[in-house]
Amino acid sequence: MSKNLAQVLKVIEEAITKPPIPHDPYKQSLKNWAMYCLRDRGFIVVYAQNADFAVQFKGGDKLYFKVANTAGDLDDKTNWIIWDSATKTASLIPQML
């Protein structure tokens, strides 16, 4: 993993672990909440065909994300944002490169 990618993933993780608004599953979906948190940090969040959304960078590169309410049965080819309803926290599971 490149140093820049590691830094970006750290900022993304911070955006969801220290969000501008808490996630309330009864008011918004995890996907919409995660996209809001990333946009609030200045990321460009765009549509993604094979993921829930993507973060696009100036050079056109994208990081793809999927969201889930459980950490079971996740593929390792995608970045995941997982909601733990027991602890009411979100976490980032980066893809395996």
Side-chain angles (χ1 to χ4, degrees):
M1 182 184 310
S2 74
K3 186 176 178 182
N4 277 349
L5 180 58
Q7 290 173 328
V8 168
L9 287 173
K10 184 175 181 178
V11 173
I12 289 172
E13 182 174 32
E14 190 174 285
I16 63 165
T17 58
K18 297 174 185 167
I21 59 168
H23 175 50
D24 183 347
Y26 299 105
K27 290 185 179 177
Q28 79 269 57
S29 70
L30 180 59
K31 175 183 169 182
N32 285 339
W33 174 81
M35 290 177 10
Y36 172 83
C37 291
L38 294 173
R39 284 183 178 127
D40 186 68
R41 290 287 175 105
F43 288 101
I44 299 168
V45 181
V46 297
Y47 168 81
Q49 185 171 344
N50 295 323
D52 287 319
F53 60 88
V55 171
Q56 186 171 358
F57 301 97
K58 287 183 180 173
D61 292 334
K62 295 179 184 176
L63 275 179
Y64 295 91
F65 291 86
K66 291 183 181 178
V67 299
N69 290 313
T70 62
D73 198 29
L74 307 177
D75 70 64
D76 60 359
K77 295 172 179 40
T78 307
N79 297 294
W80 286 89
I81 295 174
I82 307 299
W83 177 252
D84 184 339
S85 59
T87 61
K88 296 189 180 351
T89 59
S91 59
L92 172 69
I93 300 175
Q95 72 183 40
M96 302 303 284
L97 299 175

